[in-house]
């Protein structure tokens, strides 16, 4: 199963948003959400971020995390 998310064009153009995919075995109850390593992502370019869930790893949950970069004047 592959998760793929399209990045917002305005956010990409502004360069003020960070995208990450995180995984957990139990929605963070006892197994904390962990960011997927950059090298394990299928894609993380200007338009999309995607990740293929590993086969045979049992139950795994994934989510998209979006963080805004805050600049201080």
């Amino acid at each position: 199963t592959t998760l793929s998310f399209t990045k917002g064009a305005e956010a990409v153009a502004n360069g003020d948003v960070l995208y990450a995919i995180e995984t957990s075995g139990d929605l963070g109850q006892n197994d904390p959400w962990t960011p997927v390593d950059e090298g394990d992502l299928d894609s993380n370019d200007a338009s999309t971020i995607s990740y293929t869930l590993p086969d045979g790893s049992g139950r795994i949950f994934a989510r998209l995390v979006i963080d805004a970069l805050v600049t201080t004047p």
Side-chain angles (χ1 to χ4, degrees):
T1 304
T2 300
L3 301 172
S4 184
F5 300 96
T6 301
K7 297 177 180 180
E10 186 175 336
V12 170
N14 291 340
D16 58 358
V17 176
L18 296 175
Y19 296 84
I21 295 177
E22 295 180 340
T23 60
S24 171
D26 64 1
L27 296 172
Q29 294 298 311
N30 295 304
D31 179 24
W33 288 102
T34 305
V36 173
D37 290 331
E38 184 73 27
D40 292 333
L41 293 172
D42 299 326
S43 171
N44 190 11
D45 57 29
S47 61
T48 51
I49 183 170
S50 63
Y51 173 63
T52 300
L53 298 171
D55 289 331
S57 61
R59 183 177 295 182
I60 187 169
F61 299 92
R63 67 183 182 184
L64 175 66
V65 178
I66 302 171
D67 287 317
L69 296 173
V70 178
T71 56
T72 305

